Amino acid sequence: MTAKWWLWAAYAVALISLLVFPHVTGVMMRELIGRIFILAVFGMSYDILRGYTGIINLGHAAFFGGGTYIAGIVFTRLGTSAAALLLAVALAWAFAALLALIMGQFAFRNTGAGGVLACAMITLAFGEMVRHTAETLREFTQGADGLTFVVPVIFRDRIGMYYYALLFLVVMTVLLRQFINSPTGRVLQAIRDNEQRARFLGYDVRKYKLLALVTAALAASSSGFMFALLTRFANTDLLSVQNTLNALLFTIVGGTGTLYGAIVGTAFVQLVQSYLLELRGIHEIFARWQIFFGAIYVLVVLYMPLGMVGAFLRIKGSLARWRTAGSNHTEAGE
Amino acid sequence: MHIFVMLLVNGLAEGALIFLMAAGLSIILGLVGVVNFAHGTLFIWGGYMSIWVFRLTASFPLALLAALATGVIMGIVFERLFVKPVYGKVTSQILITLGLMIIFTDMVRLLWGPNPIPMVRPPWLDGTWVFGQVIIARYRVFLIAVGLFVAVGINYLINKTRIGMVMRAGIQSPEMVQALGINIKLYFAAVFAGGAGLAALGGALYAPLVGSVWSGMGIDNQILAFIVVILGGMGSFYGSAVGSILIGLTSAFTAWFFPPLTAYSTLLIMVVILSLKPEGLFGLAVRK
């Protein structure tokens, strides 16, 4: 009971400081934190796949970028009325769900280790096709120049947008938490841990993987949509493998299979990135963020497979075991 | 009719190029159970290194050799330092090789700049042959010849030599090969380096075909090679040969008859084949 009380107090303190934050800090920091809130949901959506279902989807950026582009295209073509906003949200979700169903249809055919590889290769191909399509449909997307657009009036206030982003993160965290802890979420974790056993228990593994992909796609698309409202700009980089790898890095730095890890990972990676880019005046090498990005990537996979939150949970777990073992020992001694 | 012959040559030449990448990927996958997601990066490095050497020496064979050597050396470094620690862990392999892809692709931009670099065909391979209405570029015939040579060479290596015997045995039972006193890990490294070399060679041959190199050419060709590996049957060498020709011809013919569909035709072919035969044409399930 006391532990619960502490936890709630910590949540309250964190929430209040985040609420006060935009009023006490500079514009740059506020924009960065707002961006972290939104990208963290992208990271969490990847954790549903990588951390909870054991799938590597290399076309995940198509869902995120799809959400951003659909918002941008609808706002440019149909204006920024409430009806256009609703239509844009509906289209972004429909696109994500449909693409996830088509992608999953072919990506989840093989099982076992070969299945993970096949899935990664097939999703990469689908993702690149979406990027290619966005580059070709210049009439709608402005091709490689990128699409600049205006957003509905209610999202134009920058401080207001910060709060929307925070609200978005909180709502999506609660929803995805619910999904993970639901019976369906449990089946997904069973598939991750032992696909064959899950199949022998009578679960339609492919159907569950599809469900996980659609859920993750909807979350990623929503995140992309919010990103559109925040940045008012879309370019094809958002659809590239690089962007998928961003989400992957967020989850593996933070810790896969922990959900919250994605939030920690996103914050860490984004803060490091903005810090390094500030150093670019000192030496040109700091402008090559991607080389650092790749290096962090390889080092984390090799030496820190659990990620930050994962490592924290493990240390906490062994401390708790050590304590109980210690107390048992003294009891036995008495 | 003459259009048909020309498209056939174009398609086969393109297939030969894809084959250089797909063959390496497929053999590595079959023997070692690893997919190298940095394969496209080796392709880029091959292209840039060949141009660099070509400008220094003005010799195309030397340029190709330099590309091949670059690929082999990078393959050895990748395998020893990064892939070896994660053998058997599929997810980590994918992640690590993706990390290498990012680092080494950006390294190219750092060394040679972000803009495309032009490349010319050597004089003895430039020009065309004209047979009546049929016009055939010499360079494309050269590509087909290289592709055939590599295919026959690999086939000989796998089926007729002792090295190939060990490799085939290694696919079936690496533990047994190990128990017979053969260092299978050394073969893993050699195959990885060989596949990497072929990818770099592919990049060096691709540059004169399209007339330039740029850092984005790796991922496009890597995806074609992936599609070939999947539709040919993962890890099957014959599958990758047949798949390469199929994909090469498909893109040549769609580029002529339905240009807007070109980028999607290869994906469509894969989708159709996987729907009919989920394990691919020469369905060899990867057991490792």
Side-chain angles (χ1 to χ4, degrees), chain A residues 41-195:
Chain A
V41 175
F42 186 36
M44 283 195 289
S45 78
Y46 209 103
D47 203 22
I48 301 278
L49 298 174
R50 162 84 176 90
Y52 287 94
T53 323
I55 301 168
I56 298 218
N57 170 6
L58 293 182
H60 204 54
F63 303 124
F64 180 88
T68 315
Y69 264 111
I70 286 172
I73 292 169
V74 171
F75 294 150
T76 3
R77 298 263 150 174
L78 305 174
T80 54
S81 62
L85 178 67
L86 286 179
L87 178 72
V89 173
L91 278 178
W93 282 345
F95 170 79
L98 197 66
L99 181 65
L101 284 175
I102 297 172
M103 226 183 205
Q105 204 61 39
F106 296 96
F108 301 144
R109 279 172 180 263
N110 303 37
T111 56
V116 177
L117 283 173
C119 176
M121 296 198 274
I122 292 173
T123 49
L124 178 67
F126 272 97
E128 282 297 294
M129 288 306 147
V130 173
R131 184 180 65 86
H132 180 84
T133 309
E135 268 171 15
T136 341
L137 291 175
R138 290 191 56 88
E139 196 196 333
F140 292 97
T141 62
Q142 310 289 324
D145 301 338
L147 179 68
T148 312
F149 48 85
V150 286
V151 294
V153 185
I154 47 164
F155 298 111
R156 282 182 200 163
D157 179 51
R158 299 313 292 174
I159 292 187
M161 195 55 222
Y162 172 94
Y163 288 121
Y164 285 124
L166 178 60
L167 182 69
F168 175 66
L169 175 63
V170 172
V171 169
M172 289 307 285
T173 310
V174 171
L175 282 179
L176 291 176
R177 182 91 265 168
Q178 289 293 322
F179 177 72
I180 292 303
N181 289 330
S182 71
T184 309
R186 299 287 176 194
V187 176
L188 293 179
Q189 289 164 61
I191 293 172
R192 174 197 63 193
D193 293 337
N194 191 333
E195 191 172 330

Side-chain angles (χ1 to χ4, degrees), chain A:
Chain A
M1 195 62 216
T2 45
K4 268 264 160 71
W5 180 83
W6 272 110
L7 211 57
W8 282 114
Y11 281 148
V13 170
L15 197 62
I16 289 168
S17 37
L18 286 176
L19 284 173
V20 178
F21 190 75
H23 297 285
V24 296
T25 187
V27 179
M28 290 280 286
M29 202 61 193
R30 186 187 66 213
E31 294 295 302
L32 180 64
I33 302 292
R35 179 186 282 250
I36 289 174
F37 291 155
I38 291 169
L39 290 178
V41 175
F42 186 36
M44 283 195 289
S45 78
Y46 209 103
D47 203 22
I48 301 278
L49 298 174
R50 162 84 176 90
Y52 287 94
T53 323
I55 301 168
I56 298 218
N57 170 6
L58 293 182
H60 204 54
F63 303 124
F64 180 88
T68 315
Y69 264 111
I70 286 172
I73 292 169
V74 171
F75 294 150
T76 3
R77 298 263 150 174
L78 305 174
T80 54
S81 62
L85 178 67
L86 286 179
L87 178 72
V89 173
L91 278 178
W93 282 345
F95 170 79
L98 197 66
L99 181 65
L101 284 175
I102 297 172
M103 226 183 205
Q105 204 61 39
F106 296 96
F108 301 144
R109 279 172 180 263
N110 303 37
T111 56
V116 177
L117 283 173
C119 176
M121 296 198 274
I122 292 173
T123 49
L124 178 67
F126 272 97
E128 282 297 294
M129 288 306 147
V130 173
R131 184 180 65 86
H132 180 84
T133 309
E135 268 171 15
T136 341
L137 291 175
R138 290 191 56 88
E139 196 196 333
F140 292 97
T141 62
Q142 310 289 324
D145 301 338
L147 179 68
T148 312
F149 48 85
V150 286
V151 294
V153 185
I154 47 164
F155 298 111
R156 282 182 200 163
D157 179 51
R158 299 313 292 174
I159 292 187
M161 195 55 222
Y162 172 94
Y163 288 121
Y164 285 124
L166 178 60
L167 182 69
F168 175 66
L169 175 63
V170 172
V171 169
M172 289 307 285
T173 310
V174 171
L175 282 179
L176 291 176
R177 182 91 265 168
Q178 289 293 322
F179 177 72
I180 292 303
N181 289 330
S182 71
T184 309
R186 299 287 176 194
V187 176
L188 293 179
Q189 289 164 61
I191 293 172
R192 174 197 63 193
D193 293 337
N194 191 333
E195 191 172 330
Q196 203 170 30
R197 186 189 294 162
R199 184 171 299 110
F200 288 164
L201 284 171
Y203 291 108
D204 185 347
V205 168
R206 238 178 101 182
K207 199 182 83 190
Y208 277 96
K209 282 185 177 173
L210 263 182
L211 196 68
L213 185 61
V214 171
T215 310
L218 288 174
S221 171
S222 312
S223 167
F225 197 92
M226 289 300 287
F227 197 72
L229 297 177
L230 182 80
T231 61
R232 305 161 188 188
F233 179 71
N235 66 359
T236 46
D237 286 352
L238 297 177
L239 294 165
S240 65
V241 193
Q242 185 67 47
N243 199 26
T244 300
L245 297 183
N246 281 337
L248 241 172
L249 186 68
F250 297 158
T251 60
I252 60 178
V253 165
T256 43
T258 57
L259 206 62
Y260 303 123
I263 304 176
V264 177
T266 310
F268 178 79
V269 173
Q270 289 289 317
L271 290 171
V272 169
Q273 179 177 10
S274 85
Y275 181 69
L276 281 179
L277 286 178
E278 272 172 31
L279 288 182
R280 121 186 86 175
I282 302 172
H283 191 279
E284 190 202 0
I285 185 84
F286 291 108
R288 312 306 312 182
W289 153 245
Q290 292 193 6
I291 292 183
F292 287 95
F293 176 91
I296 298 176
Y297 211 92
V298 171
L299 290 177
V300 168
V301 176
L302 277 179
Y303 300 112
M304 220 176 77
L306 289 175
M308 291 172 156
V309 172
F312 171 75
L313 290 178
R314 170 173 277 194
I315 292 168
K316 206 176 107 183
S318 28
L319 267 182
R321 260 198 307 281
W322 181 70
R323 265 199 213 122
T324 44
S327 59
N328 285 346
H329 185 74
T330 45
E331 273 165 29
E334 286 161 4

